[in-house]
Amino acid sequence: MTDDITSVGEGSRPETGVSALKGRPGAGAPAETRGKTTIADGVVAKIAGMAAREVPGIYNLGAGMARAFGAVRERVPGGGGGAVTRGVKVEVGERQTAVDLDVVVEYGVSIVDVAAGVRTNVISAVERMTGLEVVEVNVAVDDVHLPDEEEETGADEGRVR
C-alpha cells in the first residue's frame, strides 16, 4: 500500500502523489497554504493579560515593583500602553507558546481555583485567537489584595480642585 501524501523537504523535487496542501505555491494551492503568518510576542501577551484579568478573584497583574513602575508610567502622558501586558511574559515559537503570569488575588478566594481558572481562560483565549498550542501557563501569586487596602494614589490628587 502506498501513501498518497509525500512530504517534500528542502532541495528535493516533488514526486507524484504529493498533496497540494504540502507547500505547493501558486494558483492551484488553497488560500490558507499561501504565505506565512507570524504572531509577535506582544500580541500573545496582550491576549493572555486580558484573559487573566477576566477571571473572578484576580485583583491585578504584576509583581510589586512592576505595579509601582506601571502606576508611574500611566501618569506620564503616552506612557500607559503597557498596562495590559504588565505581569505577563511569553515565549512564542512557530507553533507553540508558553505564558508566565504574576498575579495579585483578592483576599478570601481560593488561590488554587483562581489559578486553575486563569490557566483555563488564558489557554482557551490564546489558542482560539492565535492557533498556537499553549504548552504551559505558569501562575505566580505575588500578593493578596485586602479589602481595606487602598490602591496607591498620588498624594496630589485631593489637594487642588
Side-chain angles (χ1 to χ4, degrees), residues 29-84:
E32 63 270 10
T33 64
R34 298 184 202 176
K36 181 180 178 181
T37 302
T38 55
I39 300 171
D41 291 8
V43 172
V44 176
K46 282 185 180 182
I47 294 168
M50 291 299 294
R53 283 179 172 81
E54 292 173 353
V55 176
I58 293 293
Y59 176 73
N60 206 344
L61 267 64
M65 288 303 291
R67 288 195 323 270
F69 284 129
V72 170
R73 192 172 35 242
E74 288 172 8
R75 291 193 180 122
V76 175
V84 174

Side-chain angles (χ1 to χ4, degrees), residues 3 10 40 44 53 66 72-73 84 93 96 100 104 116 143 152:
D3 191 5
E10 285 189 35
V44 176
R53 283 179 172 81
V72 170
R73 192 172 35 242
V84 174
Q96 296 178 326
D100 296 322
V104 178
D143 201 359
E152 295 175 14

